[in-house]
Amino acid sequence: MRVAVVAGPDPGHAFPAIALSLLFRQAGDEPVLFTGSRWVSDARSAGLRALPLGGLAPRPEDDDLDAGQRIHSRAAFVSAELLADLEAENVDLVVSDILTAGGGMAAERLGIPWIELSPHPLYSPSRGLPPIGSGLAPGTGFRGRLRDTVMRALTARSIAQGRTQRSRARTSIGLPASDPGPAARLIATIPALEVERPDWPDDAHVVGPLLWEPTDDVLDAPDGNAPLVMVAPSTAFTGAEGMLEMALKGLDGSGLRVVASVLDGGPDVLPNWATAGLGRQDELLRRADVVVCGGGHGMLAKALVHGVPVVTVPGGGDQWELANRAARQGSAVIVRPPTATSIADAVADVLGDPRFARAAATAASGATSVEDPVSVCHEVLARSTRGTGR
């Protein structure tokens, strides 16, 4: 199978796309990755065929404060930029990241089946859940269900506006206004971070987190036997600022060791009980006793896969939603607003109460109860081939 994997440059989306591409290659398929130019050389070093995805740069007419306009209008432009490259690669299937909808639009224009990749839980609206992003558990009883109904009604206008924007973007490139959607959706999370819903789509498949390390370097931890705190500042532009600095200030004098996993640089001066740099996070997690992170899906899922409890300092985007899901599962403590003292207190709470580690171990034990993403993609292509008589 020749398959194109399409994702933008944000690490939370590019890294899962790289991980999926590597799974395709291991299965004997022929993947080609289209992503932000920053990660092309890294993907090639990992053995992948990788090409820069065009159309990602903001245009004068783009309104980045309008999420719907940013996703849909730019997706139409990306699809136009991608079309010739995708056709030249002669692929059988396209897997397109949920925020890089242009990959799906381009596939549809070429008559190629496509699959949507969600590198996080399923965020589609549901008649049984409060709006995604609220962080709330489903309401119970009359008042709880009424609360959810009212909240869904309040968000319905924004959802309808997004559909209108998508229809407008589709017609601008010659597609029908009505969106048939992908042939399937890969939900790249662990069961512990999903929530039950009465209307789970038949085409959505939980396939486990798609994890990739951007380096082979192993970051040394400070010497000693004291508990190890791993701090991983958010890579998203919506992440809380100053997390690492506050954590270092709050943990000063605690006797704990700190290792900070940073993608781009770190503090110039560190105490002797702390280290920082770019290193394999999976190796750090095998030694860590607790993780302090923003609550983005990549780091949160990675910590729970390794059975490590978490202190979350959520910023914007979906971090509040995910932090609350982890807290309800029992493996995380939420810090908001963050201060040096509140982060240090949360770390002490997690280390001092074994229930957090037990909950994280439970999350890890269920992480393998998922479908194989490559098999899902092969089945979609097989159905498409049968349907067209090829």
Side-chain angles (χ1 to χ4, degrees):
M1 179 173 70
R2 291 183 58 81
V3 54
V5 181
V6 183
D10 183 273
H13 296 264
F15 289 7
I18 293 172
L20 179 60
S21 299
L22 290 170
L23 290 177
F24 281 127
R25 193 190 66 175
Q26 292 167 12
D29 295 314
E30 299 178 43
V32 54
L33 173 70
F34 293 90
T35 189
S37 57
R38 176 179 181 181
W39 306 113
V40 168
S41 61
D42 294 275
R44 289 173 177 171
S45 296
L48 294 173
R49 175 166 169 73
L51 299 171
L53 178 62
L56 294 175
R59 302 167 298 164
E61 63 266 35
D62 288 335
D63 179 7
D64 277 358
L65 296 179
D66 184 335
Q69 198 273 352
R70 183 178 71 245
I71 293 173
H72 304 306
S73 176
R74 196 175 297 169
F77 181 61
V78 167
S79 78
E81 295 289 298
L82 179 62
L83 203 63
D85 287 338
L86 205 58
E87 192 169 23
E89 292 297 326
N90 192 31
V91 297
D92 305 303
L93 180 75
V94 173
V95 180
S96 189
D97 178 81
I98 190 169
L99 289 187
T100 316
M105 289 183 179
E108 189 178 347
R109 293 172 71 178
L110 293 172
I112 301 171
W114 72 280
I115 291 172
E116 184 178 78
L117 171 59
S118 296
H120 48 58
L122 178 64
Y123 287 160
S124 300
S126 168
R127 68 173 185 270
L129 298 176
I132 300 298
S134 68
L136 296 170
T140 58
F142 174 77
R143 290 185 177 180
R145 290 191 294 272
L146 177 62
R147 178 206 68 185
D148 291 352
T149 300
V150 170
M151 292 183 68
R152 287 195 296 270
L154 292 173
T155 60
R157 181 178 178 182
S158 294
I159 294 172
Q161 180 182 1
R163 288 173 178 157
T164 299
Q165 290 169 324
R166 192 174 188 93
S167 294
R168 189 180 303 123
R170 288 174 56 82
T171 57
S172 73
I173 53 174
L175 290 174
S178 179
D179 188 355
R185 285 177 275 184
L186 305 179
I187 311 302
T189 190
I190 58 175
L193 291 176
E194 259 302 352
V195 290
E196 292 187 9
R197 55 173 73 202
D199 46 6
W200 183 271
D202 291 337
D203 65 357
H205 306 266
V206 177
V207 298
L210 296 167
L211 306 175
W212 175 73
E213 297 288 342
T215 180
D216 290 326
D217 294 340
V218 177
L219 188 60
D220 291 332
D223 293 334
N225 297 313
L228 182 62
V229 181
M230 177 179 170
V231 181
S234 176
T235 59
F237 73 93
T238 55
E241 295 184 1
M243 179 200 308
L244 175 55
E245 291 75 13
M246 285 186 284
L248 290 171
K249 181 179 178 181
L251 295 173
D252 191 9
S254 66
L256 301 174
R257 297 178 298 149
V258 172
V259 58
S261 172
V262 292
L263 192 58
D264 296 304
D268 294 330
V269 179
L270 289 169
N272 60 8
W273 45 270
T275 59
L278 176 62
R280 292 189 63 96
Q281 291 182 330
D282 53 358
E283 292 292 338
L284 294 177
L285 286 165
R286 293 187 180 98
R287 294 173 282 165
D289 297 284
V290 60
V291 170
V292 179
C293 67
H297 181 266
M299 191 64 240
L300 187 59
K302 192 179 291 187
L304 295 183
V305 164
H306 285 82
V308 183
V310 181
V311 170
T312 59
V313 186
D318 63 351
Q319 294 186 6
W320 178 248
E321 176 73 31
L322 290 166
N324 277 277
R325 291 189 183 192
R328 288 197 298 271
Q329 191 269 338
S331 58
V333 170
I334 299 173
V335 175
R336 180 181 273 192
T339 65
T341 300
S342 63
I343 292 175
D345 288 345
V347 169
D349 289 344
V350 170
L351 291 175
D353 189 338
R355 289 179 296 180
F356 292 102
R358 287 199 295 268
T362 298
S365 67
T368 56
S369 299
V370 295
E371 297 183 65
D372 172 39
V374 175
S375 295
V376 172
C377 293
H378 276 271
E379 177 57 31
V380 165
L381 182 59
R383 289 201 306 268
S384 174
T385 302
R386 290 194 297 267
T388 58
R390 288 188 294 167

